[in-house]
Amino acid sequence: MNNPLPGADPTGAEPRPRTPVIDVHTHAMPMPFLRELERRGLADLSRSAERVLNLDPALCGLAPGSPIPLAPEQHDMELRLASLAAMGVDHQVVAAPPFVFASESDDDELVMEVTRLANDALAEFAAGSGGRLSGLGTVPVGHPGAVAELTRCLDELGLAGATMGTFGGGRELDDPVNEDLWKALDARRCFTLLHPSRVSSRDRLADYHLVQLLGYPVETALATARLIFGGVLDRHDLVLCLAHGGGCVPAVGGRLDLGWRRKPVARVTDRAPSDYLRRLLYDTAVFDTRALGRLVEDMTAGHVLLGTDTPFDLVDHDPLETVRALGVDAAREAAILGGNAARLLGLRDSGDRAAPPLPTAAEGRTP
């Protein structure tokens, strides 16, 4: 049974209408997908009993033999749903992890083949959840066929939105090759989770797990800066959510603004970079109450969505407490816990009630 949720009455009285708790940043690697990768020589499941997976470097971008955590919740539906109950979450939005994005591969055929396999498996996994999971289809940025795969995910597989890496096909996100993809995402008003999928200067990040701990937050900031300065966010009104609270980018908004004001080479947009940052969405997976509070203050509660990074080891195990520790009012708390996500993804709670209104216009531009 789920933990008490906003609006629940512990006395058993008729509950007040409340917002479902929705986690927008979770991952899954269904076993049929992993077994197919192994059959093709791209994965090694021999250590799965130890909760370890090895993937071909062409897929994961890591050094050969690098262990990737393989919690059983990645593929075991019974354990997955039990973990939702333990965390007090009503609904999870699941996506393939960046380890299968093949972000640094220039082999279009490999990237598209693995992407289609992942999307097919994820759609089947979500469909078997009894309505507790929604899936995000992976779109292979930087490669031909990205728009066609997005369309297939939304129209044929019934996935709720998209996820993408921060680099692909040897190209940055603002490269012209991605323009049709941005147009399609804009036209479809498609919720998209932007997840770091590579790092720069990998040799300097090789120790201490710094690829994920430091490289990923920096990578998100770099990709977001290119979307701003490259004019992508001028040309397209995207429903774009930055994983891990935007990584480093919220902290460097002032510096980007300073460069925009003082460096002619950076004065390529009509508005300061921080204005664009306030148009984007952010998850709560920052693992620090003060940092999350500042994110909500700067970007407004209407732009922050619950995210845990389940079921990897760098996960928020108590997301409800994370949000409640902010001490915001009930409307903003409900928006962060699920109201924003419910509206963006068209989800409703188990009583078929729509999400309550978002914070007022004084909170800033609603997503």
Side-chain angles (χ1 to χ4, degrees):
M1 179 176 292
N2 283 2
N3 294 336
L5 302 174
D9 187 337
T11 67
E14 182 67 23
R16 301 187 304 276
R18 53 86 172 164
T19 306
V21 175
I22 302 170
D23 183 352
V24 303
H25 180 180
T26 80
H27 299 288
M29 289 188 283
M31 192 54 70
F33 170 60
L34 295 179
R35 290 195 182 110
E36 181 60 22
L37 291 183
E38 185 174 49
R39 189 185 71 81
R40 297 175 184 223
L42 298 171
D44 179 2
L45 291 168
S46 63
R47 298 180 60 195
S48 60
E50 303 170 42
R51 302 189 175 193
V52 171
L53 168 70
N54 293 113
L55 291 171
D56 190 296
L59 292 187
C60 65
L62 302 175
S66 296
I68 295 170
L70 184 62
E73 290 84 0
Q74 292 273 14
H75 51 81
D76 185 311
M77 183 61 71
E78 183 178 353
L79 292 177
R80 184 80 184 213
L81 296 182
S83 74
L84 265 74
M87 297 171 76
V89 171
D90 291 307
H91 195 92
Q92 283 184 346
V93 182
V94 296
F99 304 115
V100 296
F101 287 1
S103 284
E104 297 184 80
S105 174
D106 58 3
D107 186 337
D108 290 332
E109 184 176 352
L110 172 68
V111 172
M112 291 306 305
E113 192 171 7
V114 170
T115 298
R116 292 188 187 103
L117 287 170
N119 287 335
D120 289 345
L122 194 74
E124 184 176 0
F125 188 70
S129 70
R132 301 296 300 279
L133 306 179
S134 295
L136 299 180
T138 302
V139 290
V141 294
H143 293 272
V147 174
E149 184 61 14
L150 172 69
T151 301
R152 189 179 80 93
C153 286
L154 299 180
D155 296 343
E156 297 180 26
L157 299 182
L159 294 172
T163 187
M164 63 172 60
T166 46
F167 186 84
R171 302 175 178 95
E172 302 286 354
L173 293 185
D174 59 319
D175 188 281
V177 72
N178 292 314
E179 187 65 13
D180 286 346
L181 177 59
W182 298 125
K183 288 179 182 177
L185 290 167
D186 183 351
R188 300 291 296 258
R189 302 301 301 146
C190 178
F191 175 86
T192 306
L193 178 68
L194 180 65
H195 197 290
S197 57
R198 59 157 287 176
V199 295
S200 303
S201 301
R202 185 177 299 279
D203 57 330
R204 299 188 65 200
L205 297 166
D207 301 319
Y208 315 116
H209 205 71
L210 290 180
V211 167
Q212 278 78 37
L213 297 180
L214 181 60
Y216 272 11
V218 173
E219 174 68 12
T220 300
L222 172 59
T224 305
R226 294 199 69 102
L227 290 176
I228 294 170
F229 289 110
V232 174
L233 299 184
D234 276 326
R235 296 188 297 273
H236 307 290
D237 184 16
L238 303 173
V239 187
L240 191 65
C241 182
L242 306 184
H244 313 124
C248 298
V249 77
V252 298
R255 185 173 179 84
L256 296 179
D257 285 356
L258 184 65
W260 178 82
R261 290 194 299 268
R262 296 185 183 177
K263 298 291 186 181
V265 70
R267 192 65 176 259
V268 291
T269 59
D270 291 336
R271 291 175 291 168
S274 59
D275 289 344
Y276 298 91
L277 295 181
R278 287 189 287 270
R279 291 170 49 190
L280 299 175
L281 304 167
Y282 303 82
D283 74 9
T284 60
V286 300
F287 314 114
D288 181 274
T289 301
R290 288 180 298 175
L292 182 57
R294 179 63 184 269
L295 183 69
V296 172
E297 180 181 352
D298 290 348
M299 306 305 176
T300 76
H303 292 251
V304 179
L305 292 74
L306 189 71
T308 64
D309 218 344
T310 298
F312 283 104
D313 46 359
L314 301 178
V315 59
D316 182 352
H317 288 294
D318 195 354
L320 274 69
E321 179 56 31
T322 294
V323 175
R324 290 168 178 164
L326 296 174
V328 298
D329 61 51
R332 287 165 177 77
E333 181 179 290
I336 296 168
L337 284 175
N340 297 330
R343 183 165 272 100
L344 290 165
L345 292 158
L347 300 172
R348 302 164 91 81
D349 72 4
S350 58
D352 199 37
R353 290 183 288 264
L358 291 172
T360 65
E363 262 283 279
R365 178 179 176 273
T366 55

